[in-house]
Amino acid sequence: MGQSSGQPLHGISERRADDEDLMSLELIGRVESGHVFTRAEAESVMEELLSGRAETLHIVRLLTALNQRPVAVAELAGFASVMRRFAAPVF
């Protein structure tokens, strides 16, 4: 999902469907430990959320973990980038 090189970041953007839950749980665990997402990781997480692939429990865990610390600029940029791609055009 990284826009800069087109290369997958730690295999995030080129994963198989059966690996999605594992990757999602890995990223959630990392943010619960205080990890700050890179822009590419934030994009990957937001794409999973907005595509409907994330389970409710995973969303709750992620949002709770993010709420425990300040959100970084790279995270906001990644989240916003994907939200703009998913937004319905108004005009």
Tab-separated table of all heavy atoms in Angstrom, residues 16-65:
chain	number	residue	atom	x	y	z
A	16	ARG	N	-2.058	-13.119	1.428
A	16	ARG	CA	-3.176	-13.974	1.031
A	16	ARG	C	-4.322	-13.771	2.006
A	16	ARG	O	-4.142	-13.318	3.121
A	16	ARG	CB	-2.724	-15.434	1.060
A	16	ARG	CG	-1.628	-15.729	0.078
A	16	ARG	CD	-1.280	-17.203	0.083
A	16	ARG	NE	-1.425	-17.841	1.359
A	16	ARG	CZ	-0.409	-18.214	2.145
A	16	ARG	NH1	0.820	-17.989	1.787
A	16	ARG	NH2	-0.640	-18.829	3.300
A	17	ALA	N	-5.514	-14.151	1.586
A	17	ALA	CA	-6.704	-13.953	2.422
A	17	ALA	C	-6.571	-14.656	3.760
A	17	ALA	O	-6.996	-14.136	4.783
A	17	ALA	CB	-7.953	-14.451	1.694
A	18	ASP	N	-5.942	-15.850	3.806
A	18	ASP	CA	-5.826	-16.562	5.077
A	18	ASP	C	-4.791	-15.934	5.995
A	18	ASP	O	-4.750	-16.231	7.183
A	18	ASP	CB	-5.517	-18.047	4.848
A	18	ASP	CG	-4.248	-18.277	4.043
A	18	ASP	OD1	-3.744	-17.321	3.418
A	18	ASP	OD2	-3.773	-19.428	4.023
A	19	ASP	N	-3.955	-15.034	5.484
A	19	ASP	CA	-2.959	-14.351	6.307
A	19	ASP	C	-3.474	-13.028	6.847
A	19	ASP	O	-2.827	-12.413	7.680
A	19	ASP	CB	-1.687	-14.074	5.493
A	19	ASP	CG	-0.920	-15.335	5.176
A	19	ASP	OD1	-1.099	-16.330	5.909
A	19	ASP	OD2	-0.145	-15.330	4.201
A	20	GLU	N	-4.645	-12.566	6.377
A	20	GLU	CA	-5.121	-11.247	6.762
A	20	GLU	C	-5.380	-11.134	8.250
A	20	GLU	O	-5.005	-10.151	8.874
A	20	GLU	CB	-6.367	-10.872	5.967
A	20	GLU	CG	-6.035	-10.540	4.541
A	20	GLU	CD	-7.244	-10.170	3.731
A	20	GLU	OE1	-8.341	-10.050	4.304
A	20	GLU	OE2	-7.080	-9.987	2.522
A	21	ASP	N	-6.028	-12.126	8.844
A	21	ASP	CA	-6.286	-12.073	10.279
A	21	ASP	C	-4.992	-12.073	11.065
A	21	ASP	O	-4.851	-11.340	12.032
A	21	ASP	CB	-7.167	-13.238	10.716
A	21	ASP	CG	-8.618	-13.063	10.308
A	21	ASP	OD1	-9.025	-11.907	10.055
A	21	ASP	OD2	-9.332	-14.071	10.239
A	22	LEU	N	-4.032	-12.888	10.635
A	22	LEU	CA	-2.749	-12.956	11.315
A	22	LEU	C	-2.052	-11.605	11.263
A	22	LEU	O	-1.562	-11.111	12.272
A	22	LEU	CB	-1.871	-14.037	10.690
A	22	LEU	CG	-0.479	-14.208	11.280
A	22	LEU	CD1	-0.572	-14.615	12.744
A	22	LEU	CD2	0.303	-15.241	10.497
A	23	MET	N	-2.024	-10.981	10.089
A	23	MET	CA	-1.355	-9.689	9.948
A	23	MET	C	-2.081	-8.631	10.753
A	23	MET	O	-1.475	-7.812	11.420
A	23	MET	CB	-1.276	-9.291	8.477
A	23	MET	CG	-0.503	-8.003	8.255
A	23	MET	SD	1.194	-8.013	8.891
A	23	MET	CE	1.899	-9.304	7.905
A	24	SER	N	-3.397	-8.647	10.699
A	24	SER	CA	-4.176	-7.688	11.451
A	24	SER	C	-3.882	-7.808	12.945
A	24	SER	O	-3.657	-6.814	13.625
A	24	SER	CB	-5.668	-7.916	11.193
A	24	SER	OG	-6.450	-7.078	11.981
A	25	LEU	N	-3.857	-9.023	13.443
A	25	LEU	CA	-3.568	-9.240	14.861
A	25	LEU	C	-2.149	-8.834	15.198
A	25	LEU	O	-1.887	-8.293	16.281
A	25	LEU	CB	-3.815	-10.702	15.227
A	25	LEU	CG	-5.274	-11.135	15.231
A	25	LEU	CD1	-5.399	-12.630	15.481
A	25	LEU	CD2	-6.059	-10.351	16.257
A	26	GLU	N	-1.216	-9.078	14.274
A	26	GLU	CA	0.168	-8.677	14.515
A	26	GLU	C	0.277	-7.159	14.635
A	26	GLU	O	0.903	-6.642	15.561
A	26	GLU	CB	1.070	-9.167	13.386
A	26	GLU	CG	2.512	-8.706	13.538
A	26	GLU	CD	3.360	-9.034	12.337
A	26	GLU	OE1	3.094	-10.036	11.662
A	26	GLU	OE2	4.300	-8.269	12.064
A	27	LEU	N	-0.345	-6.445	13.719
A	27	LEU	CA	-0.295	-4.982	13.760
A	27	LEU	C	-1.008	-4.430	14.984
A	27	LEU	O	-0.542	-3.477	15.602
A	27	LEU	CB	-0.893	-4.393	12.480
A	27	LEU	CG	-0.042	-4.551	11.223
A	27	LEU	CD1	-0.800	-4.069	10.000
A	27	LEU	CD2	1.262	-3.799	11.360
A	28	ILE	N	-2.125	-5.036	15.342
A	28	ILE	CA	-2.850	-4.586	16.539
A	28	ILE	C	-1.993	-4.808	17.775
A	28	ILE	O	-1.882	-3.935	18.635
A	28	ILE	CB	-4.214	-5.297	16.661
A	28	ILE	CG1	-5.144	-4.815	15.557
A	28	ILE	CG2	-4.839	-5.047	18.035
A	28	ILE	CD1	-6.409	-5.629	15.417
A	29	GLY	N	-1.359	-5.963	17.869
A	29	GLY	CA	-0.476	-6.239	18.997
A	29	GLY	C	0.671	-5.258	19.081
A	29	GLY	O	1.058	-4.820	20.171
A	30	ARG	N	1.209	-4.883	17.931
A	30	ARG	CA	2.312	-3.928	17.923
A	30	ARG	C	1.867	-2.557	18.404
A	30	ARG	O	2.565	-1.902	19.182
A	30	ARG	CB	2.917	-3.847	16.524
A	30	ARG	CG	3.695	-5.110	16.162
A	30	ARG	CD	4.141	-5.148	14.735
A	30	ARG	NE	5.070	-4.075	14.459
A	30	ARG	CZ	5.417	-3.693	13.238
A	30	ARG	NH1	4.906	-4.298	12.190
A	30	ARG	NH2	6.267	-2.710	13.072
A	31	VAL	N	0.698	-2.094	17.954
A	31	VAL	CA	0.232	-0.777	18.385
A	31	VAL	C	-0.170	-0.811	19.865
A	31	VAL	O	-0.005	0.171	20.583
A	31	VAL	CB	-0.889	-0.229	17.473
A	31	VAL	CG1	-2.219	-0.848	17.766
A	31	VAL	CG2	-0.978	1.272	17.561
A	32	GLU	N	-0.664	-1.955	20.346
A	32	GLU	CA	-0.967	-2.083	21.776
A	32	GLU	C	0.299	-1.991	22.615
A	32	GLU	O	0.254	-1.575	23.769
A	32	GLU	CB	-1.681	-3.417	22.051
A	32	GLU	CG	-3.120	-3.430	21.588
A	32	GLU	CD	-3.788	-4.780	21.736
A	32	GLU	OE1	-3.103	-5.826	21.682
A	32	GLU	OE2	-5.026	-4.789	21.893
A	33	SER	N	1.440	-2.351	22.019
A	33	SER	CA	2.730	-2.270	22.713
A	33	SER	C	3.371	-0.896	22.582
A	33	SER	O	4.484	-0.695	23.036
A	33	SER	CB	3.693	-3.321	22.155
A	33	SER	OG	3.179	-4.602	22.350
A	34	GLY	N	2.686	0.027	21.914
A	34	GLY	CA	3.201	1.380	21.784
A	34	GLY	C	3.830	1.698	20.443
A	34	GLY	O	4.336	2.802	20.240
A	35	HIS	N	3.812	0.745	19.514
A	35	HIS	CA	4.385	0.974	18.183
A	35	HIS	C	3.627	2.076	17.464
A	35	HIS	O	2.403	2.142	17.518
A	35	HIS	CB	4.312	-0.328	17.372
A	35	HIS	CG	4.709	-0.185	15.932
A	35	HIS	ND1	6.015	-0.054	15.541
A	35	HIS	CD2	3.972	-0.160	14.799
A	35	HIS	CE1	6.064	0.044	14.214
A	35	HIS	NE2	4.831	-0.018	13.748
A	36	VAL	N	4.362	2.942	16.782
A	36	VAL	CA	3.755	3.982	15.957
A	36	VAL	C	3.799	3.482	14.517
A	36	VAL	O	4.859	3.124	14.009
A	36	VAL	CB	4.524	5.314	16.101
A	36	VAL	CG1	3.972	6.353	15.140
A	36	VAL	CG2	4.455	5.805	17.531
A	37	PHE	N	2.651	3.436	13.873
A	37	PHE	CA	2.574	2.969	12.490
A	37	PHE	C	3.364	3.875	11.561
A	37	PHE	O	3.340	5.099	11.708
A	37	PHE	CB	1.126	2.951	11.989
A	37	PHE	CG	0.254	1.876	12.559
A	37	PHE	CD1	-1.058	2.153	12.865
A	37	PHE	CD2	0.722	0.598	12.762
A	37	PHE	CE1	-1.895	1.168	13.372
A	37	PHE	CE2	-0.102	-0.396	13.267
A	37	PHE	CZ	-1.409	-0.107	13.569
A	38	THR	N	3.992	3.277	10.568
A	38	THR	CA	4.502	4.050	9.449
A	38	THR	C	3.297	4.441	8.603
A	38	THR	O	2.185	3.915	8.802
A	38	THR	CB	5.470	3.221	8.590
A	38	THR	OG1	4.744	2.126	8.012
A	38	THR	CG2	6.651	2.698	9.405
A	39	ARG	N	3.508	5.307	7.648
A	39	ARG	CA	2.391	5.696	6.781
A	39	ARG	C	1.844	4.478	6.037
A	39	ARG	O	0.636	4.295	5.930
A	39	ARG	CB	2.838	6.769	5.793
A	39	ARG	CG	1.702	7.212	4.906
A	39	ARG	CD	2.089	8.321	3.974
A	39	ARG	NE	0.967	8.621	3.107
A	39	ARG	CZ	0.671	9.808	2.642
A	39	ARG	NH1	1.427	10.825	2.955
A	39	ARG	NH2	-0.366	9.987	1.864
A	40	ALA	N	2.741	3.623	5.544
A	40	ALA	CA	2.309	2.434	4.801
A	40	ALA	C	1.518	1.480	5.691
A	40	ALA	O	0.522	0.893	5.249
A	40	ALA	CB	3.513	1.718	4.198
A	41	GLU	N	1.941	1.302	6.935
A	41	GLU	CA	1.201	0.435	7.858
A	41	GLU	C	-0.169	1.024	8.153
A	41	GLU	O	-1.171	0.301	8.188
A	41	GLU	CB	1.982	0.253	9.161
A	41	GLU	CG	3.216	-0.596	9.028
A	41	GLU	CD	4.079	-0.577	10.268
A	41	GLU	OE1	4.108	0.438	10.989
A	41	GLU	OE2	4.758	-1.595	10.516
A	42	ALA	N	-0.226	2.340	8.362
A	42	ALA	CA	-1.501	3.006	8.637
A	42	ALA	C	-2.445	2.861	7.447
A	42	ALA	O	-3.636	2.618	7.619
A	42	ALA	CB	-1.274	4.478	8.971
A	43	GLU	N	-1.898	2.990	6.228
A	43	GLU	CA	-2.722	2.812	5.033
A	43	GLU	C	-3.272	1.396	4.962
A	43	GLU	O	-4.445	1.180	4.652
A	43	GLU	CB	-1.910	3.121	3.773
A	43	GLU	CG	-1.626	4.589	3.589
A	43	GLU	CD	-0.729	4.861	2.399
A	43	GLU	OE1	-0.209	3.916	1.777
A	43	GLU	OE2	-0.536	6.053	2.094
A	44	SER	N	-2.430	0.422	5.262
A	44	SER	CA	-2.851	-0.974	5.218
A	44	SER	C	-3.965	-1.251	6.227
A	44	SER	O	-4.958	-1.898	5.914
A	44	SER	CB	-1.652	-1.882	5.495
A	44	SER	OG	-2.042	-3.220	5.533
A	45	VAL	N	-3.799	-0.735	7.426
A	45	VAL	CA	-4.800	-0.935	8.475
A	45	VAL	C	-6.124	-0.273	8.094
A	45	VAL	O	-7.187	-0.881	8.206
A	45	VAL	CB	-4.288	-0.387	9.828
A	45	VAL	CG1	-5.402	-0.283	10.844
A	45	VAL	CG2	-3.172	-1.264	10.363
A	46	MET	N	-6.057	0.962	7.617
A	46	MET	CA	-7.293	1.667	7.262
A	46	MET	C	-7.981	1.010	6.081
A	46	MET	O	-9.209	0.916	6.039
A	46	MET	CB	-7.010	3.142	6.957
A	46	MET	CG	-8.262	3.958	6.722
A	46	MET	SD	-9.491	3.909	8.077
A	46	MET	CE	-8.601	4.734	9.369
A	47	GLU	N	-7.212	0.515	5.115
A	47	GLU	CA	-7.830	-0.175	3.989
A	47	GLU	C	-8.556	-1.433	4.453
A	47	GLU	O	-9.651	-1.742	3.990
A	47	GLU	CB	-6.780	-0.539	2.938
A	47	GLU	CG	-7.404	-1.109	1.697
A	47	GLU	CD	-6.432	-1.212	0.553
A	47	GLU	OE1	-5.708	-0.234	0.297
A	47	GLU	OE2	-6.413	-2.270	-0.085
A	48	GLU	N	-7.961	-2.146	5.400
A	48	GLU	CA	-8.607	-3.339	5.936
A	48	GLU	C	-9.898	-2.969	6.673
A	48	GLU	O	-10.915	-3.647	6.542
A	48	GLU	CB	-7.656	-4.078	6.866
A	48	GLU	CG	-8.148	-5.441	7.262
A	48	GLU	CD	-7.072	-6.300	7.892
A	48	GLU	OE1	-5.907	-6.171	7.534
A	48	GLU	OE2	-7.442	-7.107	8.757
A	49	LEU	N	-9.855	-1.870	7.424
A	49	LEU	CA	-11.048	-1.428	8.153
A	49	LEU	C	-12.164	-1.021	7.196
A	49	LEU	O	-13.311	-1.454	7.345
A	49	LEU	CB	-10.707	-0.244	9.058
A	49	LEU	CG	-9.807	-0.509	10.252
A	49	LEU	CD1	-9.475	0.800	10.954
A	49	LEU	CD2	-10.453	-1.478	11.210
A	50	LEU	N	-11.843	-0.190	6.226
A	50	LEU	CA	-12.873	0.352	5.339
A	50	LEU	C	-13.386	-0.657	4.318
A	50	LEU	O	-14.482	-0.497	3.792
A	50	LEU	CB	-12.351	1.609	4.637
A	50	LEU	CG	-12.062	2.791	5.562
A	50	LEU	CD1	-11.527	3.965	4.760
A	50	LEU	CD2	-13.291	3.187	6.355
A	51	SER	N	-12.606	-1.698	4.052
A	51	SER	CA	-13.057	-2.715	3.108
A	51	SER	C	-14.000	-3.718	3.767
A	51	SER	O	-14.603	-4.538	3.089
A	51	SER	CB	-11.858	-3.457	2.521
A	51	SER	OG	-11.238	-4.238	3.522
A	52	GLY	N	-14.106	-3.654	5.097
A	52	GLY	CA	-15.004	-4.549	5.810
A	52	GLY	C	-14.378	-5.879	6.198
A	52	GLY	O	-15.077	-6.775	6.668
A	53	ARG	N	-13.077	-6.025	6.006
A	53	ARG	CA	-12.411	-7.289	6.339
A	53	ARG	C	-12.071	-7.421	7.819
A	53	ARG	O	-11.819	-8.517	8.293
A	53	ARG	CB	-11.126	-7.438	5.514
A	53	ARG	CG	-11.370	-7.619	4.035
A	53	ARG	CD	-10.100	-7.957	3.293
A	53	ARG	NE	-9.016	-7.039	3.552
A	53	ARG	CZ	-8.599	-6.101	2.700
A	53	ARG	NH1	-9.184	-5.963	1.540
A	53	ARG	NH2	-7.592	-5.320	3.007
A	54	ALA	N	-12.065	-6.315	8.548
A	54	ALA	CA	-11.678	-6.355	9.962
A	54	ALA	C	-12.873	-6.764	10.825
A	54	ALA	O	-13.997	-6.311	10.613
A	54	ALA	CB	-11.164	-4.997	10.401
A	55	GLU	N	-12.601	-7.613	11.790
A	55	GLU	CA	-13.643	-8.035	12.735
A	55	GLU	C	-13.868	-6.941	13.775
A	55	GLU	O	-12.950	-6.173	14.090
A	55	GLU	CB	-13.206	-9.325	13.418
A	55	GLU	CG	-12.889	-10.419	12.426
A	55	GLU	CD	-13.557	-11.720	12.778
A	55	GLU	OE1	-14.269	-11.765	13.795
A	55	GLU	OE2	-13.357	-12.659	12.016
A	56	THR	N	-15.058	-6.873	14.311
A	56	THR	CA	-15.403	-5.838	15.290
A	56	THR	C	-14.449	-5.834	16.472
A	56	THR	O	-13.996	-4.765	16.904
A	56	THR	CB	-16.857	-6.019	15.768
A	56	THR	OG1	-17.720	-5.969	14.635
A	56	THR	CG2	-17.248	-4.944	16.755
A	57	LEU	N	-14.120	-6.995	17.000
A	57	LEU	CA	-13.202	-7.066	18.137
A	57	LEU	C	-11.841	-6.470	17.790
A	57	LEU	O	-11.236	-5.766	18.603
A	57	LEU	CB	-13.041	-8.510	18.614
A	57	LEU	CG	-12.088	-8.723	19.783
A	57	LEU	CD1	-12.547	-7.941	21.006
A	57	LEU	CD2	-11.990	-10.194	20.118
A	58	HIS	N	-11.362	-6.709	16.578
A	58	HIS	CA	-10.072	-6.162	16.152
A	58	HIS	C	-10.144	-4.639	16.054
A	58	HIS	O	-9.197	-3.943	16.431
A	58	HIS	CB	-9.646	-6.754	14.820
A	58	HIS	CG	-9.423	-8.226	14.869
A	58	HIS	ND1	-9.303	-8.992	13.738
A	58	HIS	CD2	-9.304	-9.099	15.906
A	58	HIS	CE1	-9.116	-10.251	14.066
A	58	HIS	NE2	-9.121	-10.335	15.388
A	59	ILE	N	-11.265	-4.138	15.559
A	59	ILE	CA	-11.438	-2.684	15.447
A	59	ILE	C	-11.433	-2.049	16.833
A	59	ILE	O	-10.777	-1.034	17.061
A	59	ILE	CB	-12.742	-2.345	14.696
A	59	ILE	CG1	-12.665	-2.860	13.258
A	59	ILE	CG2	-13.009	-0.843	14.716
A	59	ILE	CD1	-13.985	-2.812	12.514
A	60	VAL	N	-12.136	-2.663	17.771
A	60	VAL	CA	-12.191	-2.142	19.138
A	60	VAL	C	-10.798	-2.133	19.757
A	60	VAL	O	-10.380	-1.144	20.366
A	60	VAL	CB	-13.182	-2.960	19.994
A	60	VAL	CG1	-13.068	-2.605	21.469
A	60	VAL	CG2	-14.600	-2.757	19.502
A	61	ARG	N	-10.062	-3.234	19.592
A	61	ARG	CA	-8.698	-3.304	20.135
A	61	ARG	C	-7.800	-2.232	19.528
A	61	ARG	O	-7.040	-1.574	20.234
A	61	ARG	CB	-8.091	-4.682	19.897
A	61	ARG	CG	-8.627	-5.764	20.808
A	61	ARG	CD	-7.993	-7.091	20.533
A	61	ARG	NE	-6.532	-7.039	20.697
A	61	ARG	CZ	-5.705	-7.969	20.254
A	61	ARG	NH1	-6.170	-9.035	19.619
A	61	ARG	NH2	-4.410	-7.860	20.443
A	62	LEU	N	-7.888	-2.057	18.211
A	62	LEU	CA	-7.059	-1.066	17.529
A	62	LEU	C	-7.387	0.346	18.004
A	62	LEU	O	-6.493	1.122	18.359
A	62	LEU	CB	-7.257	-1.165	16.018
A	62	LEU	CG	-6.537	-0.091	15.197
A	62	LEU	CD1	-5.027	-0.261	15.286
A	62	LEU	CD2	-7.004	-0.121	13.764
A	63	LEU	N	-8.665	0.698	18.020
A	63	LEU	CA	-9.057	2.046	18.424
A	63	LEU	C	-8.728	2.320	19.884
A	63	LEU	O	-8.316	3.431	20.238
A	63	LEU	CB	-10.541	2.273	18.142
A	63	LEU	CG	-10.933	2.274	16.665
A	63	LEU	CD1	-12.438	2.429	16.516
A	63	LEU	CD2	-10.183	3.335	15.891
A	64	THR	N	-8.884	1.317	20.731
A	64	THR	CA	-8.519	1.476	22.138
A	64	THR	C	-7.027	1.735	22.283
A	64	THR	O	-6.604	2.628	23.023
A	64	THR	CB	-8.923	0.225	22.947
A	64	THR	OG1	-10.340	0.049	22.827
A	64	THR	CG2	-8.546	0.361	24.407
A	65	ALA	N	-6.215	0.970	21.560
A	65	ALA	CA	-4.759	1.142	21.623
A	65	ALA	C	-4.346	2.511	21.087
A	65	ALA	O	-3.495	3.182	21.674
A	65	ALA	CB	-4.057	0.032	20.846
